Amino acid sequence: MITVLALAPVASVADDDHHKRHDIDAAVRKGEILQLSEILKQVKPQIDGRILEIEFENSKHHPIYEIYVLDRTGRRLEYEVDARTARIISLEDDH
């Protein structure tokens, strides 16, 4: 029983990730957002550092990719990128 309880949250997270991935794929097919590969192709020249993580957020204003980067000095930066245009909306020092 303990094992089942321990695995329940993991299954829930996996289901959420699957649904989110499906929603992203559907939005790309409809032309509502750009593919992540296109986003990265456009923003990588503007990013100074190594990409650590990328998250998709469908905010109330517009869909965004949050790109977390480790810069050369060891700081963790968060770039918010418009998923429709690949335009960098904001940059935050996330230390």
Side-chain angles (χ1 to χ4, degrees):
M1 184 164 175
I2 294 173
T3 303
V4 173
L5 292 174
L7 294 176
V10 173
S12 174
V13 169
D15 287 344
D16 287 346
D17 287 346
H18 176 73
H19 289 295
K20 186 179 271 191
R21 182 74 229 165
H22 177 73
D23 292 345
I24 293 169
D25 289 343
V28 168
R29 280 193 305 277
K30 292 177 187 175
E32 296 171 351
I33 64 173
L34 297 171
Q35 290 185 347
L36 181 56
S37 60
E38 182 61 30
I39 297 277
L40 292 174
K41 183 174 140 183
Q42 292 187 40
V43 300
K44 269 189 175 179
Q46 302 171 63
I47 291 177
D48 183 29
R50 183 170 54 97
I51 295 174
L52 300 172
E53 180 182 0
I54 300 172
E55 295 178 2
F56 180 79
E57 290 287 328
N58 202 356
S59 75
K60 57 187 165 192
H61 300 291
H62 50 271
I64 61 170
Y65 282 102
E66 296 173 341
I67 302 176
Y68 297 92
V69 173
L70 186 65
D71 77 1
R72 292 182 205 156
T73 65
R75 290 185 336 203
R76 186 171 185 249
L77 306 174
E78 178 186 343
Y79 290 83
E80 286 192 359
V81 179
D82 188 318
R84 300 168 300 176
T85 64
R87 183 178 64 85
I88 295 175
I89 300 168
S90 70
L91 169 60
E92 295 179 16
D93 192 336
D94 198 32
H95 58 276

